[in-house]
Amino acid sequence: MKKAIVLSGGGAHGSYQIGVWKALRELKYQYNIVTGTSVGALNGILMVENDFDKALYLWENLNFGMVFKDPIGDINTDEGKKNILKTYTKNVLFHGGMDVSRLEETVARVIDVKKFYASLIDYGLITVKFSNLASITLTKKEIEPIDLKDFVIASATCFPFFKKKKIKNDLYIDGGYHDNLPINLALEMGAEEIIAVDLNTIGIKQRIKTDNVKITYISPRNKLGSFLVFDHLVAARNIKYGYNDTMKVFKRLDGDKFTFKRNHLKRNFDKYFYKLVQKTEDILENNKTAEKILLISNYKYLLNYDLVKSFKIVNEIIEYTGDVFEIDNTNIYNINKFNNLLLDKIGDINVNHYDIEQNLNDNKINIFDKKTIIKYIYFEINNKTGKKQLLNLALLFQREFIAAIYISVLQKKEKNFWNIFKMFSKNGIIDANR
């Protein structure tokens, strides 16, 4: 069976594909064909050469100087970020795009032509002829070795941001103007199983010509930054995202935007779900309005003990809270460590409870300050004040309300068997009269 890797275009997002490749190597996934558009065409060359270390080194050391002649400055400063926009704008408006001669030099250093053509792995790319916007599809056997570098650059010529690429008497632009995810090309080359790495950047995607081939899609679950910003720190982060997302697709890791060791989320759910629901019911016990509001929201599945949908909801709350507290989402977490981080983070929020309460009374609460809202609800839950504000917040900030309850149950001791028995009986899960 011929297996293909299909790599989309995406400029600086191409580092994500190196993370995918790292995971596929660990999974010992063998492939016979690689097709790519734009940066996918460049990464595809290295995948054909099977030179992962070279690819990793390239992306981990990436900077604007490896792509453009124009100096950019420190992109991590406000001035540097403004300069990026100015530089692109000036070149697009007055020079026909950025001069990518430095990129050509980089590609020439990276590509090992002999190794590429000696490889048994087939290869294809897509570019577009500028004069008539006709797609140009080229496979390994159709590209002369002397033209290989030029056609890779042509495929990656992100017009109008980059100057058009001239090869002989024709001008070429990015293959994304025809097909940014060349699955059909892989099919034409004989692929019977495909892994498609879609960076979800701008570009046209052609309708797939057949439904008879297994296609596994891998796409970023987190934001990768601007596809026009070339920076080694951003690239290193995106490599981690690519690795994590691939392992999640192949069921070796769990999570969505965050990443957890396999089965940790299930064990966590089994440990805390009933405590979370019981705590929620205790808070809502004397307020039927709040309970009714929650029962018509997504959180009705928690109160109705729908275990399948509740599992998804609890995990979404865990990740939402991690995002609010700015926990690093590139790491692979032990769930216990992650829970401890949530407890540490909420303990680190240095806000005055009474000032928050006054702001609530004066309608001055900042609805965008989710940390403070979670902290206040958490304080009210643990101090059992029973104030009206708590239930009002439960209606206005449902995710934050459940998040605060989740954190509160993390530090509670196990309920005794009788309390759990009573809870099950109350909800009809166990017949108390048996």
Side-chain angles (χ1 to χ4, degrees):
M1 174 181 286
K2 284 191 175 182
K3 298 180 180 180
I5 308 293
V6 177
L7 305 173
S8 83
H13 293 176
S15 52
Y16 179 91
Q17 294 172 344
I18 305 307
V20 174
W21 187 11
K22 179 182 178 182
L24 293 178
R25 282 163 57 88
E26 287 190 21
L27 295 167
K28 301 189 184 307
Y29 189 89
Q30 302 295 318
Y31 50 91
N32 314 97
I33 300 167
V34 180
T35 65
T37 296
S38 196
V39 73
L42 172 58
N43 284 335
I45 291 277
L46 297 173
M47 291 191 76
V48 170
E49 293 179 19
N50 197 26
D51 205 335
F52 175 78
D53 290 338
K54 185 193 292 183
L56 186 63
Y57 181 85
L58 171 68
W59 284 101
E60 287 186 339
N61 292 277
L62 183 71
N63 58 61
F64 271 97
M66 295 169 65
V67 182
F68 307 124
K69 277 188 173 181
D70 297 72
I72 298 294
D74 186 355
I75 69 165
N76 295 309
T77 65
D78 290 339
E79 189 61 33
K81 291 172 183 176
K82 291 178 183 176
N83 195 38
I84 293 172
L85 181 59
K86 288 179 183 177
T87 302
Y88 273 114
T89 302
K90 178 187 72 174
N91 280 279
V92 168
L93 292 177
F94 302 111
H95 304 293
M98 300 283 283
D99 182 335
V100 294
S101 55
R102 287 280 176 82
L103 176 61
E104 297 199 23
E105 293 170 6
T106 299
V107 169
R109 287 197 307 272
V110 167
I111 292 177
D112 186 330
V113 176
K114 289 183 179 179
K115 196 171 184 179
F116 173 78
Y117 283 98
S119 171
L120 296 178
I121 300 169
D122 206 356
Y123 173 81
L125 63 76
I126 292 179
T127 184
V128 169
K129 190 178 290 188
F130 182 71
S131 59
N132 57 5
L133 296 183
S135 65
I136 305 297
T137 300
L138 297 169
T139 60
K140 182 195 281 191
K141 64 183 180 182
E142 296 169 327
I143 306 172
E144 294 294 330
I146 195 172
D147 295 326
L148 180 61
K149 179 202 73 173
D150 287 336
F151 276 111
V152 169
I153 293 294
S155 180
T157 296
C158 186
F159 182 79
F161 300 104
F162 297 0
K163 289 180 182 292
K164 298 180 286 291
K165 173 62 180 173
K166 187 173 184 179
I167 303 176
K168 297 183 174 63
N169 296 319
D170 291 309
L171 295 173
Y172 295 87
I173 58 175
D174 198 291
Y177 280 92
H178 173 70
D179 192 353
N180 205 40
L181 187 64
I183 291 173
N184 287 329
L185 175 55
L187 293 171
E188 291 166 8
M189 294 171 68
E192 299 165 278
E193 180 179 301
I194 292 172
I195 291 177
V197 187
D198 187 357
L199 296 173
N200 288 330
T201 48
I202 56 174
I204 296 168
K205 296 175 191 173
Q206 296 293 331
R207 185 177 62 83
I208 300 169
K209 294 178 179 179
T210 179
D211 296 325
N212 298 325
V213 173
K214 177 186 176 183
I215 303 175
T216 300
Y217 289 91
I218 300 172
S219 295
R221 304 183 185 204
N222 291 282
K223 293 180 180 178
L224 303 183
S226 171
F227 72 96
L228 293 172
V229 175
F230 299 88
D231 176 68
H232 69 283
L233 295 176
V234 175
R237 180 200 66 192
N238 291 344
I239 289 170
K240 291 181 180 179
Y241 284 152
Y243 175 87
N244 293 348
D245 290 350
T246 303
M247 286 302 196
K248 283 180 270 194
V249 167
F250 283 91
K251 310 299 182 186
R252 301 300 178 90
L253 294 170
D254 292 334
D256 183 28
K257 290 180 169 53
F258 285 84
T259 306
F260 301 91
K261 292 183 178 179
R262 191 177 182 185
N263 293 325
H264 276 220
L265 291 176
K266 177 63 168 63
R267 293 206 299 266
N268 187 69
F269 180 79
D270 291 344
K271 182 176 181 179
Y272 290 113
F273 171 65
Y274 293 111
K275 299 176 187 178
L276 174 67
V277 177
Q278 183 184 41
K279 190 75 173 178
T280 305
E281 289 180 339
D282 288 346
I283 294 169
L284 298 175
E285 190 170 10
N286 295 317
N287 193 298
K288 295 301 179 184
T289 301
E291 185 174 6
K292 286 177 182 177
I293 294 294
L294 284 178
L295 281 171
I296 63 173
S297 74
N298 195 42
Y299 300 111
K300 63 179 176 288
Y301 300 113
L302 294 176
L303 299 177
N304 291 333
Y305 288 80
D306 184 325
L307 296 183
V308 174
K309 291 179 179 176
S310 291
F311 178 66
K312 181 179 179 181
I313 291 169
V314 169
N315 293 335
E316 286 175 349
I317 287 295
I318 290 170
E319 294 204 10
Y320 172 73
T321 312
D323 186 51
V324 168
F325 289 153
E326 300 175 316
I327 293 175
D328 186 350
N329 62 8
T330 65
N331 292 335
I332 299 170
Y333 287 101
N334 175 306
I335 187 60
N336 293 329
K337 180 179 178 181
F338 191 86
N339 285 338
N340 286 333
L341 281 173
L342 293 180
L343 288 167
D344 290 343
K345 290 287 186 179
I346 203 161
D348 289 341
I349 300 174
N350 187 21
V351 292
N352 187 304
H353 169 262
Y354 298 103
D355 285 345
I356 298 173
E357 188 171 289
Q358 187 60 50
N359 286 337
L360 281 168
N361 291 330
D362 296 340
N363 294 318
K364 294 179 180 178
I365 188 72
N366 181 357
I367 63 171
F368 299 107
D369 186 1
K370 305 302 186 185
K371 288 182 189 177
T372 299
I373 292 169
I374 292 174
K375 175 75 174 189
Y376 179 79
I377 297 172
Y378 174 81
F379 181 92
E380 291 292 325
I381 290 169
N382 286 328
N383 286 275
K384 300 179 180 178
T385 58
K387 292 183 180 177
K388 185 172 69 175
Q389 286 95 327
L390 177 58
L391 292 170
N392 289 339
L393 287 173
L395 303 181
L396 293 172
F397 303 103
Q398 293 176 11
R399 277 198 300 186
E400 291 73 26
F401 178 65
I402 302 297
I405 296 174
Y406 175 76
I407 298 175
S408 74
V409 301
L410 292 180
Q411 59 187 17
K412 298 297 183 183
K413 293 181 180 180
E414 297 286 337
K415 299 290 183 184
N416 64 43
F417 175 81
W418 178 243
N419 283 341
I420 295 176
F421 180 84
K422 286 195 298 182
M423 180 179 65
F424 284 6
S425 300
K426 174 182 174 183
N427 292 280
I429 296 175
I430 295 175
D431 184 352
N433 296 317
R434 288 184 63 184

